[in-house]
Amino acid sequence: MERLSAKRALYPLMSVFTGIVVLVVGLILAKREYGMIYLGGVWLLLLLFGYYKACLAVIPFAAVTAGIFCAVTYALSRDVQSTLSAAARILAVCVAVIAGMGIRPSALISNLSTLRAPRSITLGMMIAVGFFPLLMRETKQIREAMRTRGAGSMLRPTVFYRAFLLPLVIRLVNISDTLSLSVETRGFLIGDKNYTVYKKTVFGIKDGVFAVIFTLGTVLAVIFL
Amino acid sequence: MSAVKLKNVRFTYEGQKSAALDGVDFTLEYGELALLSGVSGSGKSTLMNIICGIIPQVVKGRLDGEVYVDGKSVKGETMNSICRKVGVVLQNSDAQIIQDRVEAEIAFGAENLGMPPERIKESVDNACERMQLDKNAFTRTLSGGQKQRLIAAAVLAMRQKILILDEPLANLDAKGARMLMESLSRLAECGYAVMVIEHRLDAVMHYADRVWHLENAQLYTVKDKYAYLSSRALNLKDSVGKILGQGNAFSLENVKYAVRKKEILRGIDLDIPMGGRTLITGENGCGKTTLTRIIARLVKPTSGEMRQYISPKSKRANARWFADVGVVYQNPDYQLFMPTVKSEVLFGARDKNYALELAERFCVTHLFDRHPHSLSEGQKRLVGVCAVLATRPKVLLLDEPTVGQDYGGLERMVGIINGIHVQTGNTLITVTHDKRCADALCDTAAIVSDGVISDIGGKEKARVFMDRNIS
């Protein structure tokens, strides 16, 4: 996901908010004849504001999923308008996720820290973000280690289960123990209000311009489309 | 005023009868770099945990005696408040990283201490320069040694005047170890109190102002540090002559390996002689572990060819292949999974009697009824090597077998491995940056640098490389 992030992403919380608005408005406008123009406009706006990687990455998924849904809807209803509405709903979801895909999770966490969100939430998010890559790395490592001990075959399920599950649990417990100790010994304290934020996330001119265009566009779309 | 003072400290872990530390008196002064040494499991980390409050606040047990940090008793103080005065570098750096970027990771501790952003920036830049880290790098792309340097940098950036580092050199190559020790030495000269817990005495001794030795729960001051060093950190002598079979066991031709766009190996040409002992060494992140994974057929090279002559008909790296090619991981936790040490050693063994005989040589028979994961790190490593050797592999691949090993444990392990090599004529491939055992496990040395073999030859090549990087 990281490789899809924008180099200079928008204000993270605004990105998340944009995604929610696009989803809601996109679904409302899905039944209208020109509803897709709104989605196209938002896609273009995000493309121009640096989210081009995510904008381009979403196209194949959107095309395939919308194609399948259109085919199913048309086969069931034989109605062109219903088919277009189904496509618009899928596209609304796809355009809504672009804004989220374009921001790094750490930028969102930093944004929340800047706004003095509770540290238990920001640290929890930080650890959660890192957990899945860690789990994947550990799983891969353990699968390799199982092979080296001749325990990689699923034809021996009891051995397979032991050789996979035991090291995985031991590793995860060890890692979480070490991590919690490390965080505490590095001065982290839940409820501490005297911490600083090294790099604050600020709402810049670019964010303001985007917010104005997006809000105006959305309001006009709701009124006129 | 001493930075740290322990008076008659005695600690017994919950559920244990004997004390881990008994009647320990210890002082660490400002402006001093102290080394704490001792065999695996002697209680070095216990001592550190007492100073920084992990004991008794997290790890429970009975603690008697007095502990002072920066002149004040730590009784009743929280671990968090103690650690605002004492910077602690724990073992296992890989598990401690929470941020996605180097800069954010280093800044994390300083943020927690409430440092102003401009001071954090200065600290981050200094720490990155000291530890030669790119502050914009993603943490997940760092090698083991770089991660270790990162965690050390993260603690240095917090600027506590008292620093305690638990095996900070474990995954560092000679250059990285020297870099860290020089930084710590400079800090001690500037008035910091630094304590390093380490097995690699040769890399630390030169910088140490005072040396402590822990044994049988007692702490002693070492009077003559160089006599102590020479008794515990001599390079192990090679007691085995060259035993070469015919031809090569492996032959690598222009082997390349890349992950996404990052090239890890950039064209390796290497012949590994059958029945010989090949030592692969190089700096952190140079591609040593990737090279061994390719040799073990755990991964395929992106391009180039790796030919093996161990089991010419073997097309896949299946259980039969790994019975012939034993791989010992750097971290034994991954390879131990049976309910007892005995079943672990017997798992996959072709000849049960041979496996039991091997267990005796490794001195692990008294642990037979124990769960492998209940053992100390040093014992786990011995059991891991023993279990792999019990399958009578034609090739033994060892990845950093000396990490966390005290001198006695290292000497015993190298002796057994060499003994089995003489007895069976197996092909031994060792990846290490530990100078102490390089000579004793080497007929042919291959130096990996920046993804290629930069030098190859006899054991003198390894000696020259390690001497150049350590002195």
Side-chain angles (χ1 to χ4, degrees), chain A residues 10 15-16 22 25 28 42 50 63 66 109 120 140 143 169 172-173 179-180 186 191 193 197 199 202-203 214 221 225:
Chain A
L10 293 165
S15 284
V16 174
V22 170
V25 175
I28 291 169
V42 175
I109 296 163
S120 51
K140 193 178 162 199
R143 289 287 295 122
V169 170
L172 292 181
V173 169
L179 186 65
S180 62
R186 284 196 274 162
K193 292 196 167 80
V197 180
K199 286 203 165 167
V202 288
F203 193 88
F214 176 71
L225 288 181

Side-chain angles (χ1 to χ4, degrees), chain B residues 63-136:
Chain B
L63 177 66
D64 298 310
E66 293 165 56
V67 182
Y68 297 90
V69 170
D70 195 34
K72 285 182 188 162
S73 170
V74 298
K75 218 170 197 170
E77 280 209 58
T78 62
M79 187 170 107
N80 190 277
S81 67
I82 299 169
C83 289
R84 283 168 186 253
K85 293 182 216 159
V86 184
V88 183
V89 176
L90 302 170
Q91 289 183 29
N92 195 1
S93 53
D94 204 15
Q96 298 174 52
I97 294 168
I98 43 173
Q99 305 277 359
D100 63 342
R101 300 259 188 181
V102 165
E103 185 177 22
E105 187 67 40
I106 297 176
F108 176 71
E111 285 179 318
N112 293 334
L113 297 187
M115 272 190 205
E118 55 281 7
R119 194 141 181 258
I120 297 179
K121 187 184 180 318
E122 194 189 312
S123 289
V124 169
D125 290 343
N126 278 343
C128 282
E129 197 187 321
R130 273 196 184 132
M131 294 294 124
Q132 291 191 6
L133 292 163
D134 172 9
K135 69 177 182 180
N136 297 314

